């Protein structure tokens, strides 16, 4: 009963502090929303309407078809159609447009020679380049197929007809050298059908579960610094340790107090994700909250382990940064772990956030149950156990 | 059990650094004990060990009969502490902080609020009970801290620099409070740099320097010790000087020559007396110098005449006054000064410092 009262006070203290500092409460609510907005709109969106200029030096059906296709593709925003290659290149060089799509002078001729379209590209914009190259290659592939098919049809009616090929080369505006190989005209009629087993997943859908995990990780680890090292520095912890109270009760109280606030934050995060980005949680809100709870417990434990012997909040901040920053970037929050270099992939598996992200994505995107992600949960609980045992053993009651 | 606190070779080491070096002292029950020492001398570490906030490296201490190593929770029940930096939760009110401490000490629910109310009335902070600690003034914070520290009715109260940074009026309020608490039976351990505070409040004083208890006595005892020690040193010095002179010149020195040597020697142990004269003149000063027990006469910038005198009794005061009046001097004010606790502190700690440097 006495121990319960002590634990209750730590929870009460956390909430009274929050209530009496409306600024902090706003931060608790606003921070997750800002994170979601920042990463959602900043990183989760698709690139489109990239400004381009088209150089059209010929007339005919193929030219018209090509121009129509480029104009109607979302990726491009056609700023100008010109006949001057040098003018178009100047526009790219000056940064007015991201690329010039240069159709050759013989583009519409039917002499059977290979036609080479050029993508004169501002490769200093890496993100834009990554979108423009495949989009342009895709358009000319399609056009080549169409051209080949129509010529095939013509060939069958007239044996004198000659096949025509089109290809595109990519020319880097910075180096003005040809970078990518010419594309051979496509002759294949094999069609690739893509079955997306989890539906049409946007980057935002991939991002939100991990942003939730990362936000909980950051606030738990930083919060425990203020709660233990900060109170050790300002003397409140000494006041508690002057009473006949065990280390376990003091730490337990801190944990429960912190978890109650973090779960409130998690709920706000989920609501923000649902309202702002129409994120659907396929596995259900309760399993998602349970996962966030386990994650919060794990990171609070991590915070206790690190703060067990630190005497000031500044020391703690310095100590926690080498763990929190790599964890943020290596644990697959922004990019799938599989796309990272092998050494980072190995590193990712020693961070608990990796397992939380994996479980969160499985539940939120794939609709899996907690039973399906048991391995992630077991690993997280294992980490939690280690952190708490080490934290309590290392905890220095001397203040 | 006669003593509230007894230490037995109490030692605390941090790696190679010895913060407290095997100290032994006893503090009688229901007394006020002043703990003095320069910054970094080991006072706070000693208090931390006595309040179970730090484990002794070796040796031990008994607090109200309980060993700090073996029975820390029993010790914690018996002590309260008002640390120098207010260690209350700044976002909680005065009453909430006291309530939190009550629950941490396991005070029964039906007693809790009565105790808190009584204490808030005792220290006169009830009017601010719903104010957050972060919004209180320095004096109010110390009072709030006292309430939180006394809620479990401890036998011993540790006060670490309780009046530092407080205005003189608030200081006096706290001093009265400390005296009242002592009168009601609490043993008070007062850690302070305010010599006046310690001199006025404490029954016994211990001076810690470089981790050692270098002096322990009543405040008056310490001052008397200093005087007698300095007198002995002075006599030793004079004997040395006279011995050397007599070795070099066999003829004996006259009494006036001996007096001249001793008055030019180390006279820091001598008591001081000072006057402010309306009509100070050379005749008066020379007459004062001729009084046998007067060792030196100085005139300060503000015109005050300072005398150093050996054997401070009523006769010498009378002699000095009579001499001034006989020379038609008019005295505006007169004061006498004995060695202060500050003199004791500086003397004791500088000796230790010199030894350490040697």
């Amino acid at each position: 009963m006495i121990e319960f009262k002590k634990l209750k006070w730590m929870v009460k203290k956390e909430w009274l502090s929050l209530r009496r500092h409306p600024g902090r409460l706003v931060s608790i609510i606003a921070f997750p929303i800002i994170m979601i907005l920042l990463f959602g709109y900043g990183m989760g969106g698709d690139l489109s309407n990239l400004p381009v200029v088209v150089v059209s030096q010929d007339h005919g059906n193929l030219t018209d078809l090509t121009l129509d296709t480029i104009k109607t593709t979302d990726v491009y925003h056609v700023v100008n159609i010109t006949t001057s290659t040098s003018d178009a290149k100047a526009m790219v060089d000056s940064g007015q447009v991201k690329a010039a799509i240069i159709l050759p002078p013989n583009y519409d001729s039917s002499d059977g020679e290979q036609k080479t379209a050029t993508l004169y590209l501002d490769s200093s914009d890496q993100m834009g380049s990554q979108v423009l190259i495949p989009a342009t290659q895709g358009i000319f592939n399609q056009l080549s197929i169409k051209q080949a098919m129509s010529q095939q049809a013509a060939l069958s009616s007239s044996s004198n007809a000659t096949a025509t090929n089109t290809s595109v080369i990519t020319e880097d505006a910075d180096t003005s050298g040809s970078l990518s190989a010419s594309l051979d005209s496509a002759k294949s009629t094999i069609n690739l059908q893509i079955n997306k087993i989890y539906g049409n997943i946007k980057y935002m859908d991939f991002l939100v579960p991990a942003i939730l995990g990362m936000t909980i990780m950051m606030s738990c680890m930083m919060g425990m610094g203020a709660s233990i090292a900060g109170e050790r520095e300002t003397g409140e912890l000494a006041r508690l340790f002057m009473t006949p109270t065990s280390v376990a009760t003091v730490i337990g109280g801190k944990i429960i107090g912190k978890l109650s606030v973090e779960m409130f934050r998690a709920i706000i995060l989920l609501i923000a994700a649902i309202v702002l980005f129409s994120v659907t949680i396929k596995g259900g809100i309760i399993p998602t909250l349970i996962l966030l709870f386990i994650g919060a417990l794990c990171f609070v434990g991590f915070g206790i382990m690190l703060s067990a012997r630190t005497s000031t909040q500044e020391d703690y901040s310095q100590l926690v940064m080498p763990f929190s920053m790599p964890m943020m970037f290596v644990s697959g929050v922004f990019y799938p772990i599989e796309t990272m270099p092998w050494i980072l992939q190995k590193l990712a598996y020693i961070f608990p956030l990796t397992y939380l992200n994996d479980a969160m994505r499985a539940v939120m995107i794939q609709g899996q149950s907690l039973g399906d992600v048991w391995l992630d949960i077991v690993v997280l609980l294992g980490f939690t156990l280690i952190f708490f045992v080490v934290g309590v053993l290392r905890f220095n009651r001397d203040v | 059990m006669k003593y509230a606190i007894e230490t037995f070779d109490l030692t605390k080491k941090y790696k190679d650094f010895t913060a407290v070096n095997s100290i032994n002292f006893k503090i009688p029950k229901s007394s006020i004990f002043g703990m003095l020492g320069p910054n970094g001398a080991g006072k706070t570490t000693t208090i931390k060990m006595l309040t179970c906030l730090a484990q002794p490296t070796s040796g031990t201490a008994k607090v109200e009969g309980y060993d700090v190593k073996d029975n820390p929770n029993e010790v914690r029940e018996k002590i309260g502490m008002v640390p120098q930096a207010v260690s209350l939760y700044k976002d909680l009110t005065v009453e909430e902080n006291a309530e939190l401490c009550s629950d941490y000490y396991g005070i029964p629910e039906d007693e809790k609020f009565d105790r808190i109310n009584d204490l808030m009335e005792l220290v006169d902070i009830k009017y601010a009970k719903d104010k957050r600690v972060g919004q209180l003034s320095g004096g109010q914070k110390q009072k709030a801290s006292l309430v939180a520290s006394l809620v479990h009715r401890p036998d011993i109260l540790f006060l670490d620099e309780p009046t530092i940074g407080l205005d003189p009026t608030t200081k006096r309020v706290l001093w009265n409070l400390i005296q009242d608490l002592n009168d009601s039976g609490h043993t008070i351990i007062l850690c302070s740099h305010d010599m006046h505070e310690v001199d006025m409040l404490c029954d016994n004083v211990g001076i810690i320097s470089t981790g050692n208890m270098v002096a322990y006595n009543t405040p008056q005892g310490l001052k008397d010790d200093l005087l007698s020690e300095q007198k002995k040193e002075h006599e030793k010095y004079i004997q040395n000087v006279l011995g050397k002179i007599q070795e070099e010149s066999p003829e004996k020195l006259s009494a006036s020559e001996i007096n001249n040597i001793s008055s030019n020697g180390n006279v820091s142990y001598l008591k001081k007396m000072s006057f402010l004269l309306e009509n100070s003149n050379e005749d008066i000063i020379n007459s004062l110098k001729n009084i046998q027990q007067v060792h030196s006469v100085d005139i300060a910038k503000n015109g005050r005449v300072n005398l150093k005198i050996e054997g401070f009794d009523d006769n010498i005061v009378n002699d000095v006054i009579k001499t001034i009046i006989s020379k038609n001097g008019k005295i505006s004010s007169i004061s006498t000064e004995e060695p202060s606790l500050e003199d004791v502190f500086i003397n004791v700690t500088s000796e230790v410092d010199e030894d350490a440097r040697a």
Side-chain angles (χ1 to χ4, degrees), chain B residues 62-298:
Chain B
K62 282 192 173 178
V63 176
E64 287 292 322
Y66 293 108
D67 192 293
V68 291
K69 279 179 166 174
D70 300 336
N71 313 97
N73 278 344
E74 284 77 3
V75 171
R76 289 180 185 118
E77 298 274 5
K78 296 285 180 187
I79 59 164
M81 183 173 178
V82 178
Q84 186 183 333
V86 175
S87 60
L88 300 175
Y89 284 108
K90 291 162 193 68
D91 294 331
L92 301 189
T93 65
V94 173
E95 192 175 34
E96 284 164 350
N97 268 294
E99 210 187 323
L100 182 148
C101 286
S102 302
D103 286 340
Y104 267 75
Y105 281 109
I107 310 297
E109 203 69 19
D110 53 345
E111 275 185 46
K112 190 166 75 178
F113 289 103
D114 288 342
R115 284 196 194 193
I116 293 170
N117 275 323
D118 291 348
L119 281 169
M120 286 193 297
E121 273 172 18
L122 177 75
V123 305
D124 189 28
I125 192 71
K126 198 170 179 181
Y127 65 94
K129 74 183 177 80
D130 294 324
K131 268 193 167 184
R132 281 183 247 163
V133 168
Q135 298 171 329
L136 301 178
S137 69
Q140 288 172 325
K141 280 179 186 166
Q142 290 295 42
K143 287 179 178 178
S145 196
L146 266 172
V147 173
S149 307
L150 291 169
V151 74
H152 59 298
R153 293 180 180 156
D155 294 323
I156 303 173
L157 184 63
F158 289 85
L159 301 165
D160 191 3
E161 302 273 0
T163 57
I164 196 164
L166 300 185
D167 64 78
T169 314
T170 314
K171 268 187 184 182
R172 281 178 192 283
V173 171
L174 273 177
W175 288 340
N176 289 336
L177 204 57
I178 291 167
Q179 196 60 64
D180 290 346
L181 287 168
N182 180 239
D183 291 344
S184 64
H186 291 278
T187 306
I188 312 277
I189 316 296
L190 176 64
C191 217
S192 178
H193 284 301
D194 185 334
M195 302 295 157
H196 173 61
E197 179 175 278
V198 173
D199 201 356
M200 188 184 59
L201 290 171
C202 297
D203 300 305
N204 293 295
V205 175
I207 301 178
I208 294 183
S209 188
T210 58
N212 296 287
M213 182 69 86
V214 290
Y216 183 105
N217 208 330
T218 61
Q220 190 55 50
L222 284 174
K223 287 183 257 183
D224 292 343
D225 287 349
L226 175 68
L227 204 61
S228 104
E229 184 193 327
Q230 289 187 334
K231 194 171 176 179
K232 275 181 200 164
E233 274 184 18
H234 177 67
E235 283 166 0
K236 198 173 156 189
Y237 167 82
I238 297 299
Q239 289 308 317
N240 275 343
V241 172
L242 289 176
K244 279 181 185 171
I245 290 169
Q246 283 177 329
E247 272 175 26
E248 287 167 14
S249 53
E251 61 274 18
K252 286 190 175 176
L253 295 169
S254 67
S256 65
E257 283 170 323
I258 292 171
N259 187 40
N260 193 33
I261 291 165
S262 58
S263 66
N264 288 322
N266 180 3
V267 290
S268 64
Y269 78 95
L270 296 171
K271 296 186 183 181
K272 294 166 192 167
M273 187 175 179
S274 72
F275 300 94
L276 191 59
L277 301 175
E278 286 180 12
N279 54 342
S280 177
N281 58 51
E282 220 169 286
D283 193 21
I284 298 175
I285 302 301
N286 287 334
S287 303
L288 288 172
K289 282 180 180 172
N290 288 333
I291 301 172
Q292 197 181 353
Q293 286 160 291
V294 173
H295 283 259
S296 68
V297 181
D298 294 317

